[in-house]
Amino acid sequence: MKKIQTPADLQQLYESLRKLMRIRETDPYSEENSAFTSPKEIQNKSILLVCGRGGCKASQSDMLIEKLQSAIRKEGLEEQIQVILTGCFGFCAQGPIVKVVPDNTFYVQVKPEDADELIHTHFVKKMYMERLLYLDADRNQVIRNPEQMSFYKPQMRIALRNCGMINPESIDEYIARNGYAALAKVLTQSTPEEVIHEIIESGLRGRGGGGFPTGLKWQITRKAVKSPKYVVCNADEGDPGAFMDRSILEGDPHSIIEAMAINGYCTGAAKGLVYIRAEYPMAVEGLRIAISQATEYGLLGKNIMGTDFSFDIDIKYGAGAFVCGEETALIHSMEGKRGEATVKPPFPSEEGYLGFPTNVNNVETFANIPTIILKGAEWYNKIGTEKSKGTKVFALAGKINNVGLIEVPMGITLREIIYGIGGGIKNGKKFKAIQTGGPSGGCLTEKHLDLPIEYDTLQAAGSMMGSGGMIVMDEDDCMVAMAQFYLGFTVEESCGKCSPCRIGNKRLFEILNKITSGKGTEEDLRKLRDLGQVIKDTSLCGLGQTSPNPVLSTLDNFYDEYVAHVTEQRCPAHQCRDLTVYYINPKKCTGCTLCAHVCPVHAIVGERKATHIIDPNICIRCGSCLEKCRFGAIYVY
Amino acid sequence: MGIIKLTIDNKEVIVPEGTTILEASKSVGIKIPTLCFMKLDELHYENSPGSCRICVVEIAGNKKLMPSCKTLCAEGMVVRTHNPRVLNARRTIMELILSNHPFECLTCRKNGQCELQNVASELGIREIRYPGEKSTFSPDVSPAIVRDLDKCIMCRRCETMCNSVQSVGAISAINRGFNSIISTGFGEDIELGNCTYCGQCVAICPVGALGGKSSVDQVLDVLADSSKVVVAQTAPAVRTALGKAFGMESDQVVTGKMVSALRAIGFNYVFDTDFAADLTIMEEGTELLGRLTNLIEGKADARIPLMTSCCPGWVNFVEQNYPELIENLSTAKSPQQMMGAVIKNYFAKKLNRPRKDIVVVSLMPCLAKKYECMREDMSDEGDPDVNYVLYTRELVRLIRFTNVDFQSLPESDFDSPLGESTGAGTIFGATGGVMEAVVRTAYSIYTGKPAPKIDFQELRGFEGIKKATIDFDGVQIKLGIAHGLGNARKLAESILNGTSDFHAVEVMACPGGCIGGGGQPFHHGDMSVIKKRAAALYDADQQKSLRKSHENPSVQKLYADFLGTPCGPVSHKLLHTHYTNRRKIVGVYPVYHESTKENGAICLSASTIETLKTICGKFNNDPKELINILHAVQELVGYLPKEVQEIVAEQLRIPLSKVYGVVTFYSFFTMAPKGKYPISVCLGTACYVRGAEKVLDEFKNLLKIKVGETTADGLFSLDCLRCVGACGFSPVVLVGKKVYVRMTPEKVRDVLNDFYSL
């Protein structure tokens, strides 16, 4: 017996579930909630929202939840306090996080052993547990309410609206947040053309990196003649440093299911496929649970909510191939083949999975759909810039203080992200560059700090939006080594089908190896540029077409660093081992022998109390001696 | 069909909708160079991966250069095929391909006939600006085909041919990226797999990566040995392909000059395999009638349909894939082998020489014949009936060694008594030719009357599967003809599942028939070459006065003098053979209680094998589910050794090379057992920037293993991973399913201790 047979059933269920959310939403006393709220219901009730996914889970948040629950039992507060496992809050640098609602207290870096003290302090002593509150280093003050944190203030969570709010394994909680209302609206109040029009009007562009207008893609698939049609969710998030899709899948899987069903309705597909990378077993499990729940509730399957529309979703595994994020390679992988890209046109919208019209969309793109439907294109396209509407989820990582997941309106500047939200460079170092778009992107530097972030400006600056990974680099990062790192990745992940990528990228990598090992020439710098441009021009798919970007953009922005490597055999950032020399200043060395002891390869010789010497032929530049020396006697050139 | 107007290099071009830029350019005299592209319409062969990128052109409005072989013309398109940007790109790509290619042109088998040489020469490449590592592979020499994979340029033609056209799948793309190559499952020698030696891969390889096994040196030695009598026999398909190699039109049959050339080379006697073709018809025709009689009399085991057996590629295919149909194969040997047996037994006696003094060299269009002559049944007391097979391209080389001007050679006749042939013998080289020859004779023998016509047009042509019903004076005889092993497979399946009711079936493994054989001069994608060869044979047949095999006086004399009657005891001994079931049976292993390792091979327990099959069954044995299946299988066994891959291949009915190609493509799949606690260090950018490399180094230091290796005690294996998506907590290390975050080199020892203490 399907739980939800009509949209009216859904509405009824929504109303009965609202109480689950009242306490958690910002203003439980708001007008929106007033119809369902009776202050008495929420008096004395609290919920502890704990991130149970991703990195937090690895930091023992399961145990934390257990300990919190047992602490609550110990204090006899089971009636008043509930612990809910949620998805990602985004502030990974401060994880594991425990958010107390309704009073909006945000506890950070909570360890399982803190559980007893936390419960006792906050709920029995009715005091805030200061040492677990977030300390804003700049203002040197403790901030309790996340809305006042510089990390959160500029953010606008649309795709991440439910992450950190709901238990991802509960379809009821999703419904209580208006889940599946967009699907109900679309199925009963609009034609597919009307919905597609709305998506086009919203200005939503593909969030996987391509930036293709989503509504247009849906329209092309709708117009395609062949049948059956397929809806595919690209959950192959392969960009190293990107975890936006993972967080959405783990924190709010139902949003994807709902969006895929809406897509199916619009394009005429009855089958959805989620292609998800094997490196995300938690996301897979969560999605499985969500699909079976949705099916049980009749929100997937035959004749959804009493209409003619039927839709099913299957999961297909990736198996460790970055190239399978490219839509044609992804499709071939779903067909059980090697993930080799094929020439476009024809595009998947016309000829995709098994030769049929297939609409491939990224996870984050899907996550925006229900909101656009419910709040309208006009509301959505007021956010962002003229050509890049809406918000974007970014994964901020690298040498930045506030590492984590953020969602901001398009048009925000890099400066606001790095110094405002990001809290500046870690350890007080100097900002050098930020890599956007992963191995397909380029680096942006100080001169780009005030660039508004949108698809076209980033591309014009030699980088690209990409899927949203942003890696911050400081003065200790060698940009040549960074380009080498990315090319190494590309060479390993290239499918090998077309000549320019298979052989060309390998040659680019070899040249970079030459340069970082001190054997490069100025001629090599010219070669990098020439070859890189040909690879961009002639590669068969997006992977090859963008793989030279890290090289070309670092050549553009950090040419001096390259020149130092080839003309002086010097690495200004002291990162390239072969170009770095560790030297003990005899004037400062006291002969304490600490460095010799810690050297893993016994490259340091010297008598006690006498100057020590590092043998450059044995030294592997690991930096252990540098870390150990208390006299600042070790210099790095 | 709409009409499209576009501009190519400032020329206005008008083409029908659906035309590629490459084709449109050709129509106005612009020949864009290509490498990987090849299309043979009539043979339903199209290889267009669009991957070599040599044919790229600039299209106004497109940011990237586009492959002209794949891109369809659109109204108003403005195309430039050779502006500086395109020319530079094309030449750079050629340099890249050459940078990964051995520089052995002068001693390479393809010297002078190599498509890579041609394009490189056209592009005027003088310098390789981007030298670097070259991928190398061990060479593979089999009885018929030789592989030198260092020269492969990944055009994918052979893969497409072997899989899509021939449906054999002996080779496929394996590995990923720079190391990707077209090879067999596990890169093993093709001799060990299911290659039929049809040689079609050799026929279309643009470079010297694939070729025939050479016997030229051995034949030269033998020709120089005055103690031997060296006898040549020539296949019909050779005489129709030879002329073009010497500058003559390819619609000429150059038999007379061919015979002169062979004499110039030094052969003592030159006989005609067409003679043996006529002989084959006598034997096989009689055999067919015998079986038909059994069928009509209602005898069980009538072995109908009769399937021709003159094509060794087809015979290999049956033995390996359809051993249930072995009983249907004609027991008659191929013409080459019949001739060998007759020469070594009959002719040797006439010469009064022992058989081992006679060396039989057959000139064939075929590579599989090199394997055929080595078959166990094709020799007597260690002396093969056919000592060597030279394919047409080898013959061309031998003729060149004689310095003779082929075109001005006189016409000579074959020697007697094995040089006379009828038109029926001549058409053996074309698809449908054997069947037509059979019909011409079988009709007369069966009905006692001459056939109402000699030319059976319904049996000719390049359609993949031809079906015809011939009225044998009231009895409807149903015939099936297939060329190309993909079509042969369809025929075989229809016979097995009872959806066809043929009485006789002719199969030639090579598309087009023997004229398209793997040993013929290269057609380089020009279908008309193959068509002209077929036409020439049918023409030659028309010119002959004797056109039915049973009318061949020399054949009649042979029976009278020596053989007795067709299918009689002497014929049976010399002119018939048998076949063996060579299907590789997987999943049959010695039963052990546990999975154990012995001599490097893993022995799966019977219950594991059953579970593997169940897993495949859960996914309906659907090849599309290969990746999901491999995940489940690897979860069960821990890794994917050969034995496991073979079972999956068998259950899903896909070639092992395809399964291996998928396993080696994806990083998740491993063919070596991992440690009890597999360690994966994330080297994604965020982790890298936060010092993941140092963490990895510490693991390497403490465990004393490299990435990809397992510790001697089997406890730990070390791998790198690209991004687990926990970037906020970088650096990240996984040990089994346990995740360690914010790793530093100092924490490594503690992590290991967690597991040592278990």
Side-chain angles (χ1 to χ4, degrees):
Chain A
M1 179 66 171
K2 278 196 273 191
K3 190 145 184 189
I4 297 179
Q5 309 226 27
T6 63
D9 286 347
L10 181 68
Q11 179 66 15
Q12 220 172 23
L13 186 59
Y14 165 73
E15 286 165 19
S16 73
L17 290 172
R18 275 306 292 158
K19 62 181 184 306
L20 282 180
M21 288 300 142
R22 272 171 243 146
I23 303 177
R24 303 182 215 186
E25 286 161 9
T26 319
D27 188 355
Y29 299 96
S30 77
E31 248 198 73
E32 191 195 21
N33 284 318
S34 64
F36 314 105
T37 304
S38 153
K40 266 205 226 104
E41 279 182 45
I42 58 162
Q43 246 166 26
N44 296 328
K45 294 267 202 267
S46 282
I47 292 182
L48 300 181
L49 299 168
V50 184
C51 175
R53 289 288 179 259
C56 287
K57 180 163 186 191
S59 298
Q60 305 184 304
S61 57
D62 316 12
M63 217 193 303
L64 172 59
I65 292 175
E66 253 183 68
K67 289 263 156 82
L68 285 169
Q69 280 165 336
S70 81
I72 291 169
R73 276 195 299 273
K74 240 195 315 193
E75 303 280 1
L77 293 168
E78 299 98 306
E79 291 295 303
Q80 274 96 298
I81 313 172
Q82 212 187 347
V83 182
I84 305 263
L85 182 155
T86 68
C88 182
F89 285 95
F91 208 165
C92 310
Q94 301 290 329
I97 291 178
V98 176
K99 182 174 175 185
V100 184
V101 284
D103 67 23
N104 276 342
T105 305
F106 200 78
Y107 287 115
V108 300
Q109 298 198 36
V110 185
K111 297 200 191 50
E113 45 269 30
D114 294 327
D116 285 341
E117 195 185 335
L118 180 77
I119 299 295
H120 192 79
T121 311
H122 192 106
F123 293 100
V124 177
K125 290 215 266 195
K126 298 221 197 278
M127 285 167 34
Y128 298 118
M129 191 166 160
E130 293 275 330
R131 75 170 172 85
L132 288 181
L133 287 176
Y134 173 67
L135 173 65
D136 183 334
D138 284 338
R139 294 188 265 164
N140 200 17
Q141 70 179 146
V142 151
I143 302 181
R144 190 185 60 82
N145 186 337
E147 280 150 45
Q148 291 163 3
M149 293 176 192
S150 49
F151 181 78
Y152 281 112
K153 258 202 270 196
Q155 291 195 41
M156 184 176 190
R157 287 163 79 96
I158 298 179
L160 297 176
R161 61 190 175 279
N162 290 329
C163 294
M165 243 330 164
I166 64 171
N167 175 354
E169 289 183 16
S170 162
I171 186 173
D172 282 347
E173 296 211 356
Y174 181 70
I175 291 175
R177 291 269 292 168
N178 257 318
Y180 291 105
L183 179 61
K185 180 176 175 190
V186 145
L187 288 181
T188 55
Q189 294 174 28
S190 323
T191 63
E193 286 79 8
E194 284 166 351
V195 182
I196 290 178
H197 178 78
E198 193 76 2
I199 308 291
I200 292 178
E201 283 298 297
S202 75
L204 180 66
R205 288 167 71 167
R207 295 287 191 254
F212 189 84
T214 306
L216 193 54
K217 208 188 237 188
W218 289 27
Q219 192 176 62
I220 296 172
T221 314
R222 172 158 191 80
K223 290 202 173 134
V225 166
K226 279 199 270 191
S227 163
K229 299 187 189 171
Y230 295 92
V231 161
V232 173
C233 174
N234 184 344
D236 191 59
E237 190 171 53
D239 272 4
F243 52 105
M244 302 74 58
D245 294 348
R246 178 189 184 163
S247 303
I248 294 172
L249 286 165
E250 288 179 353
D252 191 11
H254 283 282
S255 67
I256 303 307
I257 295 173
E258 184 179 3
M260 285 177 79
I262 293 173
N263 188 343
Y265 175 71
C266 289
T267 54
K271 183 62 150 202
L273 298 161
V274 180
Y275 184 81
I276 184 163
R277 59 197 304 248
E279 291 90 331
Y280 286 175
M282 247 198 287
V284 172
E285 198 41 44
L287 201 53
R288 248 189 233 298
I289 293 172
I291 291 175
S292 84
Q293 286 175 343
T295 310
E296 199 194 308
Y297 274 41
L299 296 162
L300 278 179
K302 294 233 178 310
N303 301 111
I304 297 174
M305 288 194 257
T307 66
D308 278 334
F309 177 62
S310 305
F311 193 74
D312 261 300
I313 298 182
D314 275 345
I315 298 180
K316 293 265 191 185
Y317 284 122
F322 170 72
V323 67
C324 287
E326 197 279 338
E327 57 181 3
T328 59
L330 187 156
I331 285 171
H332 294 304
S333 186
M334 289 200 304
E335 292 168 342
K337 301 182 188 152
R338 292 160 63 87
E340 290 178 347
T342 42
V343 174
K344 296 191 283 199
F347 291 90
S349 314
E350 285 148 356
E351 254 180 68
Y353 183 62
L354 303 177
F356 292 110
T358 306
N359 197 197
V360 182
N361 285 122
N362 168 267
V363 170
E364 191 187 329
T365 312
F366 273 130
N368 278 288
I369 299 290
T371 303
I372 292 175
I373 301 292
L374 288 178
K375 293 207 157 148
E378 251 190 73
W379 170 86
Y380 191 81
N381 69 24
K382 286 201 180 58
I383 305 165
T385 66
E386 200 199 316
K387 298 238 184 91
S388 301
K389 300 287 181 199
T391 57
K392 179 82 189 76
V393 180
F394 291 107
L396 209 48
K399 304 283 186 69
I400 194 164
N401 279 317
N402 296 339
V403 170
L405 206 65
I406 66 176
E407 186 172 359
V408 289
M410 297 271 199
I412 193 174
T413 65
L414 272 176
R415 192 183 296 279
E416 287 172 85
I417 290 187
I418 296 172
Y419 293 101
I421 299 175
I425 309 301
K426 215 170 155 69
N427 297 331
K429 297 264 184 177
K430 193 168 176 302
F431 169 72
K432 188 166 186 183
I434 180 166
Q435 173 80 8
T436 64
S440 308
C443 60
L444 301 164
T445 62
E446 256 201 276
K447 69 175 190 261
H448 299 115
L449 278 177
D450 294 304
L451 196 69
I453 298 192
E454 35 173 354
Y455 288 101
D456 306 308
T457 54
L458 286 178
Q459 199 145 42
S463 181
M464 64 186 272
M465 178 83 68
S467 57
M470 283 188 163
I471 315 280
V472 179
M473 287 169 257
D474 66 18
E475 60 202 82
D476 292 335
D477 290 301
C478 171
M479 298 316 284
V480 184
M482 183 57 51
Q484 180 195 28
F485 170 82
Y486 276 122
L487 255 301
F489 177 78
T490 302
V491 165
E492 203 176 303
E493 296 294 333
S494 162
C495 77
K497 183 167 166 181
C498 76
S499 326
C501 178
R502 178 179 76 246
I503 311 173
N505 278 321
K506 176 95 174 169
R507 298 294 176 242
L508 276 184
F509 184 54
E510 285 167 344
I511 295 174
L512 284 166
N513 287 343
K514 257 179 89 188
I515 295 174
T516 56
S517 60
K519 304 197 184 77
T521 64
E522 271 198 79
E523 170 81 27
D524 285 329
L525 301 186
R526 274 192 293 278
K527 282 190 190 176
L528 282 177
R529 209 176 263 294
D530 291 342
L531 182 56
Q533 193 55 49
V534 172
I535 295 172
K536 271 179 79 85
D537 269 351
T538 59
S539 290
L540 194 152
C541 83
L543 187 154
Q545 287 162 5
T546 57
S547 54
N549 284 347
V551 184
L552 295 175
S553 98
T554 48
L555 273 172
D556 278 339
N557 291 301
F558 297 97
Y559 192 65
D560 292 338
E561 248 183 278
Y562 278 90
V563 170
H565 280 72
V566 304
T567 56
E568 300 169 55
Q569 275 71 51
R570 179 177 68 86
C571 173
H574 304 312
Q575 196 186 336
C576 296
R577 291 191 184 166
D578 293 334
L579 305 185
T580 308
V581 179
Y582 278 68
Y583 169 74
I584 297 179
N585 183 348
K587 292 212 178 82
K588 293 202 173 165
C589 176
T590 63
C592 73
T593 76
L594 258 182
C595 58
H597 275 113
V598 83
C599 176
V601 292
H602 309 296
I604 309 183
V605 289
E607 303 283 315
R608 283 207 119 241
K609 304 257 170 78
T611 303
H612 280 48
I613 300 177
I614 301 176
D615 184 345
N617 293 319
I618 307 176
C619 171
I620 58 166
R621 289 85 164 161
C622 68
S624 308
C625 56
L626 180 67
E627 271 171 57
K628 268 293 186 224
C629 179
R630 292 172 296 177
F631 302 96
I634 301 198
Y635 288 64
V636 185
Y637 293 110
Chain B
M1 256 282 165
I3 293 292
I4 299 200
K5 247 196 284 200
L6 69 155
T7 311
I8 303 177
D9 289 345
N10 290 325
K11 280 199 188 139
E12 189 182 73
V13 189
I14 299 174
V15 290
E17 215 178 306
T19 309
T20 62
I21 296 179
L22 183 69
E23 290 163 345
S25 303
K26 202 161 161 212
S27 75
V28 289
I30 297 173
K31 209 170 155 287
I32 303 172
T34 61
L35 257 189
C36 64
F37 180 76
M38 183 181 264
K39 198 167 180 212
L40 299 165
D41 281 312
E42 285 83 349
L43 306 184
H44 301 289
Y45 173 79
E46 178 169 345
N47 183 63
S48 55
S51 59
C52 71
R53 314 305 280 182
I54 287 287
C55 72
V56 290
V57 291
E58 184 181 271
I59 301 176
N62 273 50
K63 271 200 280 203
K64 311 282 173 197
L65 300 179
M66 299 297 285
S68 53
C69 63
K70 293 283 279 186
T71 310
L72 297 178
C73 297
E75 183 68 30
M77 225 183 212
V78 177
V79 179
R80 303 226 173 273
T81 72
H82 67 266
N83 64 15
R85 177 186 175 206
V86 174
L87 203 50
N88 177 51
R90 192 170 294 141
R91 299 178 88 216
T92 304
I93 289 167
M94 179 51 80
E95 286 175 55
L96 288 176
I97 297 174
L98 294 178
S99 80
N100 190 25
H101 197 83
F103 271 28
E104 293 173 9
C105 285
L106 294 180
T107 49
C108 174
R109 64 186 313 132
K110 242 6 203 277
N111 189 9
Q113 309 179 76
C114 171
E115 293 182 41
L116 186 65
Q117 263 183 347
N118 293 344
V119 180
S121 168
E122 260 177 58
L123 293 176
I125 308 295
R126 295 287 166 266
E127 183 199 356
I128 310 294
R129 286 171 289 165
Y130 311 103
E133 186 190 325
K134 298 193 188 204
S135 38
T136 56
F137 303 89
S138 24
D140 173 24
V141 177
S142 76
I145 295 173
V146 169
R147 300 187 302 146
D148 187 359
L149 294 179
D150 293 1
K151 296 177 183 165
C152 174
I153 59 169
M154 288 300 277
C155 70
R156 318 301 280 268
R157 286 186 194 172
C158 58
E159 181 189 25
T160 305
M161 179 61 85
C162 191
N163 286 276
S164 305
V165 176
Q166 300 297 73
S167 79
V168 171
I171 50 176
S172 287
I174 64 171
N175 301 335
R176 185 171 81 195
F178 190 73
N179 299 318
S180 60
I181 191 69
I182 309 298
S183 190
T184 55
F186 294 84
E188 61 186 9
D189 289 350
I190 51 171
E191 206 175 336
L192 302 172
N194 63 335
C195 173
T196 62
Y197 301 132
C198 74
Q200 282 308 294
C201 55
V202 174
I204 42 91
C205 178
V207 295
L210 296 170
K213 173 94 186 297
S214 179
S215 310
V216 166
D217 289 337
Q218 293 96 310
V219 171
L220 285 175
D221 282 345
V222 142
L223 285 168
D225 185 349
S226 51
S227 70
K228 303 283 185 199
V229 177
V230 192
V231 181
Q233 54 157 318
T234 61
V238 176
R239 69 203 65 190
T240 183
L242 204 53
K244 189 152 197 282
F246 294 101
M248 301 170 76
E249 283 306 309
S250 61
D251 50 5
Q252 281 189 29
V253 166
V254 292
T255 315
K257 294 190 197 296
M258 176 181 70
V259 176
S260 302
L262 285 164
R263 293 218 172 93
I265 290 170
F267 286 94
N268 301 114
Y269 294 93
V270 183
F271 292 141
D272 194 355
T273 312
D274 291 12
F275 165 89
D278 284 334
L279 189 59
T280 305
I281 293 303
M282 298 303 299
E283 296 294 321
E284 207 161 326
T286 308
E287 187 188 15
L288 173 63
L289 294 174
R291 292 195 195 179
L292 283 174
T293 309
N294 283 343
L295 179 72
I296 292 170
E297 288 174 8
K299 288 212 183 115
D301 192 31
R303 298 164 69 182
I304 289 288
L306 173 117
M307 309 192 310
T308 55
S309 56
C310 38
C311 171
W314 160 241
V315 168
N316 287 341
F317 186 77
V318 172
E319 286 181 325
Q320 286 169 357
N321 300 285
Y322 294 98
E324 319 90 301
L325 292 178
I326 282 179
E327 289 298 295
N328 294 71
L329 281 171
S330 161
T331 55
K333 288 181 182 175
S334 67
Q336 164 182 283
Q337 295 302 137
M338 284 198 185
M339 178 66 102
V342 169
I343 292 172
K344 296 257 180 153
N345 290 281
Y346 172 72
F347 189 63
K349 265 201 204 80
K350 269 191 176 272
L351 287 184
N352 202 13
R353 297 285 292 266
R355 62 174 282 155
K356 62 171 178 49
D357 280 0
I358 318 264
V359 176
V360 175
V361 178
S362 68
L363 289 317
M364 292 286 138
C366 172
L367 296 181
K369 291 279 174 199
K370 291 203 184 243
Y371 169 81
E372 188 187 45
C373 71
M374 285 167 41
R375 283 176 73 102
E376 194 211 320
D377 203 25
M378 308 297 188
S379 61
D380 191 358
E381 293 189 5
D383 178 59
D385 289 338
V386 174
N387 298 79
Y388 303 104
V389 172
L390 290 175
Y391 51 90
T392 316
R393 296 192 299 271
E394 290 185 293
L395 174 58
V396 169
R397 208 177 321 148
L398 279 180
I399 294 176
R400 293 219 171 98
F401 288 168
T402 66
N403 303 319
V404 97
D405 175 21
F406 187 82
Q407 286 197 38
S408 50
L409 278 173
E411 309 281 319
S412 303
D413 288 327
F414 286 104
D415 287 309
S416 284
L418 307 173
E420 188 175 13
S421 66
T422 69
T426 307
I427 59 176
F428 256 59
T431 170
V434 175
M435 191 58 84
E436 189 168 336
V438 167
V439 168
R440 289 181 192 174
T441 291
Y443 187 98
S444 300
I445 301 184
Y446 182 75
T447 63
K449 295 184 253 182
K453 59 181 181 182
I454 300 182
D455 297 295
F456 290 83
Q457 298 291 345
E458 62 265 51
L459 302 177
R460 303 184 187 185
F462 285 81
E463 216 181 298
I465 298 180
K466 296 179 289 249
K467 298 183 192 166
T469 307
I470 313 279
D471 185 345
F472 271 34
D473 201 28
V475 182
Q476 306 303 318
I477 301 294
K478 299 210 166 91
L479 306 171
I481 299 163
H483 60 122
L485 288 172
N487 292 320
R489 188 184 285 277
K490 288 189 192 141
L491 265 192
E493 290 286 335
S494 75
I495 296 171
L496 277 180
N497 63 28
T499 52
S500 63
D501 52 359
F502 300 116
H503 294 111
V505 157
E506 175 212 281
V507 175
M508 294 190 188
C510 294
C514 310
I515 44 165
Q520 294 281 63
F522 299 109
H523 53 70
H524 295 301
D526 184 0
M527 196 56 212
S528 68
V529 165
I530 300 181
K531 287 203 252 191
K532 285 181 183 169
R533 289 177 190 162
L537 285 183
Y538 284 110
D539 256 345
D541 163 42
Q542 279 267 315
Q543 310 294 336
K544 288 205 156 167
S545 47
L546 295 171
R547 304 186 59 202
K548 302 174 207 171
S549 301
H550 57 281
E551 291 171 357
N552 185 334
S554 301
V555 168
Q556 289 162 353
K557 189 165 192 302
L558 182 62
Y559 276 106
D561 282 358
F562 181 66
L563 289 175
T565 54
C567 298
V570 180
S571 301
H572 230 99
K573 180 160 172 286
L574 295 180
L575 308 180
H576 288 256
T577 183
H578 64 270
Y579 311 99
T580 36
N581 179 344
R582 289 195 289 134
R583 171 185 271 152
K584 197 167 177 188
I585 303 171
V586 296
V588 176
Y589 294 95
V591 177
Y592 290 77
H593 289 297
E594 303 264 304
S595 296
T596 57
K597 258 193 199 194
E598 204 179 71
N599 300 330
I602 180 173
C603 299
L604 300 169
S605 66
S607 69
T608 308
I609 294 172
E610 269 321 297
T611 314
L612 291 177
K613 292 187 182 177
T614 308
I615 291 175
C616 296
K618 239 185 20 182
F619 289 95
N620 296 319
N621 293 330
D622 185 356
K624 293 196 296 294
E625 297 287 347
L626 178 60
I627 291 172
N628 286 350
I629 290 172
L630 288 172
H631 271 297
V633 164
Q634 182 167 281
E635 181 86 31
L636 173 76
V637 181
Y639 61 118
L640 298 169
K642 185 172 186 202
E643 292 73 9
V644 168
Q645 291 189 40
E646 283 176 335
I647 292 174
V648 172
E650 196 191 44
Q651 294 300 116
L652 270 50
R653 309 198 90 201
I654 53 180
L656 177 65
S657 65
K658 278 269 178 266
V659 175
Y660 185 78
V662 166
V663 169
T664 51
F665 184 86
Y666 294 98
S667 319
F668 237 71
F669 298 135
T670 175
M671 289 186 285
K674 291 286 160 196
K676 187 165 180 202
Y677 309 115
I679 302 170
S680 295
V681 179
C682 180
L683 280 190
T685 327
C687 291
Y688 172 77
V689 156
R690 291 236 191 175
E693 256 197 315
K694 290 201 179 153
V695 171
L696 178 65
D697 286 343
E698 186 66 3
F699 271 110
K700 281 197 229 173
N701 259 342
L702 290 181
L703 294 173
K704 311 243 185 295
I705 54 175
K706 293 199 275 251
V707 172
E709 292 181 353
T710 309
T711 52
D713 55 13
L715 270 184
F716 295 105
S717 56
L718 189 59
D719 274 303
C720 295
L721 196 47
R722 295 284 177 171
C723 200
V724 260
C727 318
F729 294 80
S730 56
V732 175
V733 169
L734 292 139
V735 183
K737 294 218 160 103
K738 202 153 189 278
V739 183
Y740 291 91
V741 296
R742 298 185 177 125
M743 279 298 291
T744 60
E746 289 74 38
K747 290 188 188 167
V748 172
R749 196 175 280 284
D750 292 326
V751 169
L752 291 176
N753 283 336
D754 275 353
F755 293 92
Y756 281 128
S757 60
L758 283 177

